[in-house]
């Protein structure tokens, strides 16, 4: 039901809802990556072009920065990025563009 509701929202809200439903953020990095791998075909639909990929990675960044995740999770974000890359959800250019984005130009508030 949530995914069908997500279709009515803008891209950012849609990605947020889909991540809420399909990824288990509260248990740890491995569980989070399991959700990314399990639903890879769904996530790929939200990273088809450069702009969509920018929004997708900014939503991921927002989850990591604003949720009460344990320090171990935050110190291993590189593993999540590797998972997104290895499963072709994001490509190298997407990740490098995100990494090069100045802090004051971040897409989340």
């Amino acid at each position: 039901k949530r995914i069908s509701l997500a279709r009515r929202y803008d891209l950012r809200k849609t990605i947020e809802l889909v991540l809420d439903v399909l990824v288990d953020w509260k248990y740890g990095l491995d569980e989070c990556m399991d959700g990314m791998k399990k639903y890879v075909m769904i996530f790929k639909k939200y990273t088809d072009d450069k702009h969509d990929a920018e929004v997708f990675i900014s939503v991921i960044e927002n989850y990591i920065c604003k949720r009460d995740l344990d320090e171990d999770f935050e110190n291993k974000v590189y593993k999540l990025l590797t998972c997104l890359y290895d499963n072709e959800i994001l490509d190298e250019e997407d990740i490098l563009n995100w990494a090069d984005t100045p802090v004051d130009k971040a897409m989340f508030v």
Side-chain angles (χ1 to χ4, degrees):
K1 184 174 179 177
R2 284 186 185 173
I3 291 178
S4 63
L5 287 173
R7 292 185 182 129
R8 297 184 199 155
Y9 292 110
D10 67 5
L11 181 61
R12 173 174 291 285
K13 288 288 184 196
T14 300
I15 293 170
E16 288 172 358
L17 279 170
V18 170
L19 284 168
D20 271 342
V21 171
L22 302 179
V23 177
D24 200 347
W25 295 93
K26 61 186 171 231
Y27 291 111
L29 184 63
D30 290 334
E31 291 79 8
C32 179
M33 291 189 305
D34 288 345
M36 293 289 183
K37 292 174 193 174
K38 184 175 181 180
Y39 299 106
V40 66
M41 296 310 294
I42 293 172
F43 294 122
K44 281 183 178 186
K45 292 179 182 181
Y46 298 104
T47 60
D48 282 342
D49 65 41
K50 182 182 176 196
H51 176 263
D52 291 355
E54 288 174 357
V55 174
F56 185 87
I57 201 166
S58 74
V59 171
I60 297 284
E61 183 179 24
N62 190 26
Y63 269 76
I64 293 166
C65 292
K66 292 194 172 190
R67 295 201 178 242
D68 189 24
L69 301 172
D70 62 32
E71 190 173 316
D72 186 51
F73 189 107
E74 291 177 6
N75 290 331
K76 295 181 181 174
V77 169
Y78 70 92
K79 287 185 175 186
L80 179 59
L81 293 172
T82 301
C83 174
L84 294 170
Y85 174 78
D86 288 346
N87 289 281
E88 299 178 350
I89 297 169
L90 294 172
D91 62 28
E92 181 179 9
E93 184 180 342
D94 298 328
I95 295 169
L96 292 174
N97 286 339
W98 167 77
D100 289 341
T101 303
V103 175
D104 63 333
K105 302 286 186 200
M107 291 187 71
F108 76 91
V109 178

